[in-house]
Amino acid sequence: MRILALRKAFFISLTLFISYSNAYAQDGNIRVNQDSKFEQLLNEKRKTNVSNTINDYYKIQIFSGDSEKAKKTLNDFKQEFRDIDGTIIFFTPNYKVWVGNFKTRIEAERNLIEIKKSYSNVHLIKPNK
C-alpha cells in the first residue's frame, strides 16, 4: 500500500512539474494585424469629429430634405467647389447639407454670394450644439 502511495505521489509530482514548466505567462510580445483601410477610416472620423465640435464657425446650408437628394447635393457641391468642405446633418425629419467652416461672418457672406449662383435656397447659419 505504501509503495502505491509513493508511486501515486511521484506521478502527481512529475505531472505537476511538467505542467508547470510548460505553462507560460504573458511574454509581452503583441502583434496586431490591421487592415490598411482602418487608418483611412480613422482619419475620416477624426476629420468629422473636428468639424462637428467647432461651434464658433459659420456654415452655409444648401439643402434640406430626404437622404438621397442630400447625398446627391453634397456630391455635386464637392465637384463644383473643391476647396470648401461639406457634411450632411440629420435633424428630424430632414437631412441638411452644411458647407464650409468660416471664421468670420464676412468670409461666410462672400462665399454665400458665390454659392448662391449655383444653389437657389441657401442660408447662412451658425450652429449651436
Side-chain angles (χ1 to χ4, degrees):
M1 214 44 172
R2 213 163 183 208
I3 295 174
L4 288 177
L6 285 175
R7 277 188 173 172
K8 189 175 184 181
F10 175 74
F11 284 120
I12 290 174
S13 299
L14 183 65
T15 305
L16 287 175
F17 178 74
I18 292 171
S19 297
Y20 178 74
S21 65
N22 287 332
Y24 295 103
Q26 297 173 353
D27 60 359
N29 295 330
I30 298 173
R31 173 177 255 184
V32 177
N33 295 325
Q34 102 181 9
D35 190 4
S36 61
K37 292 183 180 181
F38 183 74
E39 194 64 35
Q40 291 174 336
L41 182 64
L42 279 178
N43 289 334
E44 288 296 320
K45 179 66 176 161
R46 287 181 190 125
K47 214 164 69 172
T48 303
N49 286 345
V50 168
S51 68
N52 286 341
T53 58
I54 299 173
N55 296 327
D56 294 337
Y57 292 129
Y58 290 91
K59 296 184 180 294
I60 298 172
Q61 179 177 314
I62 61 171
F63 178 79
S64 179
D66 67 276
S67 175
E68 292 303 316
K69 287 182 182 176
K71 290 177 188 174
K72 183 181 181 325
T73 302
L74 182 60
N75 286 335
D76 293 344
F77 179 83
K78 285 184 177 182
Q79 289 176 0
E80 187 174 349
F81 299 93
R82 295 183 188 274
D83 56 334
I84 301 176
D85 194 26
T87 187
I88 297 175
I89 305 292
F90 178 71
F91 285 110
T92 305
N94 294 322
Y95 290 85
K96 300 179 185 232
V97 179
W98 290 353
V99 297
N101 265 341
F102 307 108
K103 290 182 181 180
T104 64
R105 185 175 180 96
I106 293 173
E107 180 185 4
E109 287 178 353
R110 285 181 187 146
N111 283 287
L112 180 69
I113 292 168
E114 288 299 314
I115 293 171
K116 250 186 189 177
K117 293 175 183 176
S118 300
Y119 297 90
S120 59
N121 192 15
V122 295
H123 305 286
L124 182 63
I125 59 172
K126 187 170 185 182
N128 294 322
K129 292 188 177 183

